[in-house]
């Protein structure tokens, strides 16, 4: 009898320890989806058709699998990568949609205007005077958009929606806008900028009163509306740089990496910029941002306008009527000149992930440029038209080739 009592107590003790262990793990992982271990890859979160290494730049996420509430949810988005876009082109008459991921202070406003106003199309976007948005409808349709951006559809997925928001929202937003459900091919594009210049530009913008308070910060099936603000009152007008940098939850820090990464991989905004597991979180976000950038149909760099324009035109087989003007860096250069060496180093440290992302992007951009140049039988003509888009020069070049 005593033996049975001891056995029952032993089994009961094992059950109690097991339950306590489950409760402990649940507490640690609450609302964070648990950070992946060092040896894990991104594949449990969404499927990539081929390797995501930098040298294999032609990989494409044909569809995405995200974890919503801890369970995998299939997001049926057909995303077209760079090589596929180049091989097949962009079919404006079919079901292709360009989705512009607009990161703050990267020159995206100018680029967005180029998209709606300067593309040489048989049926260009209709941009009525005194209206911010244009109608970029497919030929022979009245409401089917081929461009999803600020200046065409507006902020349908939220103000400056990031990769996490766009991939979760764009299909439903277009279905609602067009009044019908359909499958589309999505060509994601974006523009990146030197992190120090971008950060200082955002600082100046915030100093003048910008807040982006209406951003949704949608992630993992919920909207994070209670993110702390770095300021009291309605805005941060007049903020000094040191105060701007000292706010640990300032979303300006490493903004480009965060907006290109799949935030569900690192618990969305739960515990954002806390010291716990920060290095692991940073590693996951940077890896994800690089992978997502490499899988995009196109990205450009603010500091390399001509190269970026050439890559866009050859990738999409679409030409711009006006060239991409090199961004005027006078204000950023002036702002940097006013900083102390310690402040410059602090800005660099606060944007260390963006610095590494930019190096990756610059190398990838140059690889794509070399590949397109090698495949372009009319490279001299196409390149001359990008850097000197004047009819007289183009006509002179044509005459010289005859």
């Amino acid at each position: 009898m005593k033996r049975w009592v001891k056995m029952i107590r032993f089994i009961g003790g094992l059950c109690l320890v097991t339950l306590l262990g489950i409760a402990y793990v649940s507490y640690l992982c609450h609302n964070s989806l648990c950070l992946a271990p060092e040896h894990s890859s991104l594949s449990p979160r969404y499927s990539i058709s081929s390797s995501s290494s930098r040298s294999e730049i032609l990989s494409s996420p044909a569809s995405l699998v995200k974890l919503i509430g801890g369970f995998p949810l299939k997001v049926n988005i057909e995303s077209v990568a760079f090589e596929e876009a180049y091989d097949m082109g962009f079919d404006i008459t079919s079901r292709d949609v360009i989705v512009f991921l607009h990161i703050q202070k990267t020159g995206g406003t100018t680029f967005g205007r180029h998209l709606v106003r300067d593309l040489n199309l048989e049926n260009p976007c209709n941009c009525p005077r005194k209206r911010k948005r244009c109608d970029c409808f497919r030929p022979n349709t009245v409401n089917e958009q081929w461009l999803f951006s600020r200046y065409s559809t507006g902020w349908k997925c939220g103000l400056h929606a990031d990769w996490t928001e766009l991939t979760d929202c764009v299909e439903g937003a277009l279905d609602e806008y067009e009044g019908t459900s359909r499958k589309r091919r999505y060509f994601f594009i974006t523009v990146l900028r030197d992190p120090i210049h971008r950060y200082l530009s955002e600082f100046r913008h915030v100093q003048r009163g910008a807040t982006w308070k209406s951003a949704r910060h949608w992630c993992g099936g919920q909207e994070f509306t209670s993110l702390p603000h770095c300021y009291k009152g309605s805005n941060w007008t007049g903020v000094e740089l040191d105060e701007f940098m000292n706010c640990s939850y300032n979303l300006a820090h490493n903004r480009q990496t965060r907006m290109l990464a799949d935030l569900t991989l690192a618990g969305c905004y739960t515990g954002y910029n806390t010291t716990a597991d920060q290095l692991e979180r940073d590693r996951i976000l940077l890896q994800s941002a690089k992978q997502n950038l490499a899988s995009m149909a196109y990205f450009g760099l603010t500091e390399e306008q001509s190269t970026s324009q050439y890559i866009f035109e050859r990738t999409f087989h679409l030409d711009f009527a006006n060239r991409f003007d090199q961004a005027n860096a006078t204000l950023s250069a002036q702002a940097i000149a006013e900083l102390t060496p310690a402040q410059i180093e602090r800005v660099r440290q606060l944007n260390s992930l963006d610095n590494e992302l930019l190096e990756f992007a610059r190398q990838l951009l140059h690889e794509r440029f070399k590949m397109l140049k090698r495949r372009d039988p009319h490279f001299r003509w196409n390149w001359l038209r990008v850097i000197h888009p004047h009819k007289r020069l183009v006509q002179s070049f044509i005459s010289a080739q005859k």
Side-chain angles (χ1 to χ4, degrees), residues 216-217 223-229:
R216 297 172 64 205
H217 300 119
E223 186 174 351
F224 287 79
T225 57
S226 59
L227 294 179
H229 291 159

Side-chain angles (χ1 to χ4, degrees), residues 56-123:
E56 297 183 24
I57 63 176
L58 310 179
S59 59
S60 167
S63 62
L64 307 175
V65 179
K66 293 191 175 185
L67 289 185
I68 305 299
F71 298 96
L73 174 66
K74 192 78 170 182
V75 182
N76 291 318
I77 292 181
E78 185 181 350
S79 178
V80 179
F82 164 67
E83 177 79 357
E84 184 181 355
Y86 171 78
D87 287 340
M88 301 181 62
F90 177 77
D91 189 352
I92 198 173
T93 65
S94 182
R95 58 189 183 97
D96 294 352
V97 179
I98 293 176
V99 181
F100 179 31
L101 195 165
H102 183 174
I103 301 172
Q104 290 96 314
K105 313 312 294 180
T106 58
T109 297
T110 300
F111 178 70
R113 291 197 181 106
H114 276 304
L115 289 174
V116 297
R117 296 182 182 274
D118 291 338
L119 280 173
N120 285 318
L121 302 171
E122 291 185 12
N123 297 91

Side-chain angles (χ1 to χ4, degrees), residues 7 35 165 184 237 279 296 313 318 327:
M7 185 175 296
L35 293 177
E165 292 174 301
R184 306 171 182 86
T237 300
L279 290 177
M296 284 185 165
E313 293 185 347
L318 295 172

Side-chain angles (χ1 to χ4, degrees), residues 112-352:
R113 291 197 181 106
H114 276 304
L115 289 174
V116 297
R117 296 182 182 274
D118 291 338
L119 280 173
N120 285 318
L121 302 171
E122 291 185 12
N123 297 91
C125 297
N126 179 29
C127 302
R129 293 183 60 187
K130 298 183 180 180
R131 207 179 87 180
K132 290 185 178 180
R133 293 203 298 269
C134 303
D135 295 324
C136 298
F137 298 143
R138 303 186 194 281
N140 303 315
T141 70
V142 294
N143 70 337
E144 290 187 21
Q145 293 275 3
W146 59 264
L147 175 64
F148 192 89
S149 74
R150 170 188 181 182
Y151 289 118
S152 55
T153 56
W155 302 112
K156 292 292 183 183
C157 290
L159 179 63
H160 287 284
D162 57 27
W163 189 93
T164 307
E165 292 174 301
L166 284 174
T167 54
D168 191 48
C169 161
V170 62
E171 184 99 308
L174 282 175
D175 284 348
E176 181 179 355
Y177 182 89
E178 297 175 0
T180 184
S181 178
R182 71 177 80 242
K183 292 300 177 184
R184 306 171 182 86
R185 295 200 316 159
Y186 293 99
F187 295 67
F188 284 89
I189 66 174
T190 195
V191 177
L192 299 181
R193 185 181 181 186
D194 174 85
I196 294 180
H197 286 264
R198 196 216 65 80
Y199 186 84
L200 292 175
S201 182
E202 177 166 345
F203 159 66
R204 295 292 193 191
H205 200 51
V206 170
Q207 192 179 50
R208 294 190 296 266
T211 63
W212 298 296
K213 285 188 294 188
S214 59
R216 297 172 64 205
H217 300 119
W218 180 271
C219 179
Q222 61 179 309
E223 186 174 351
F224 287 79
T225 57
S226 59
L227 294 179
H229 291 159
C230 293
Y231 54 89
K232 296 180 180 179
S234 58
N235 56 49
W236 214 359
T237 300
V239 62
E240 296 297 328
L241 179 60
D242 288 336
E243 182 185 359
F244 188 79
M245 293 189 295
N246 286 337
C247 180
S248 61
Y249 38 86
N250 189 342
L251 294 180
H253 306 339
N254 289 313
R255 179 180 289 280
Q256 296 177 101
T257 300
R258 177 178 57 81
M259 291 187 66
L260 285 174
D262 180 356
L263 298 181
T264 65
L265 296 170
C268 296
Y269 293 93
T270 302
Y272 180 75
N273 258 11
T274 59
T275 55
D277 297 315
Q278 187 60 45
L279 290 177
E280 176 67 4
R281 178 187 174 90
D282 288 349
R283 184 194 68 81
I284 292 172
L285 291 180
L286 181 59
Q287 182 185 355
S288 176
K290 288 180 178 180
Q291 184 166 325
N292 290 336
L293 186 70
S295 70
M296 284 185 165
Y298 166 83
F299 70 89
L301 297 181
T302 305
E303 289 75 23
E304 302 194 34
Q305 293 288 332
S306 296
T307 301
S308 298
Q309 180 177 345
Y310 175 81
I311 291 175
F312 183 98
E313 293 185 347
R314 300 281 63 78
T315 301
F316 289 91
H317 307 289
L318 295 172
D319 296 333
F320 287 96
N322 296 306
R323 65 172 296 186
F324 291 7
D325 291 326
Q326 186 63 48
N328 189 341
T330 302
L331 294 178
S332 296
Q334 181 181 354
I336 291 176
E338 296 172 355
L339 304 184
T340 65
Q343 286 177 317
I344 295 176
E345 180 58 28
R346 183 77 194 287
V347 172
R348 184 176 288 108
Q349 291 175 356
L350 290 171
N351 295 277
S352 60

Side-chain angles (χ1 to χ4, degrees), residues 27-40:
Y27 172 77
L28 288 180
C29 295
H30 178 64
N31 280 339
S32 67
L33 305 181
C34 290
L35 293 177
E38 182 69 27
H39 63 272
S40 69

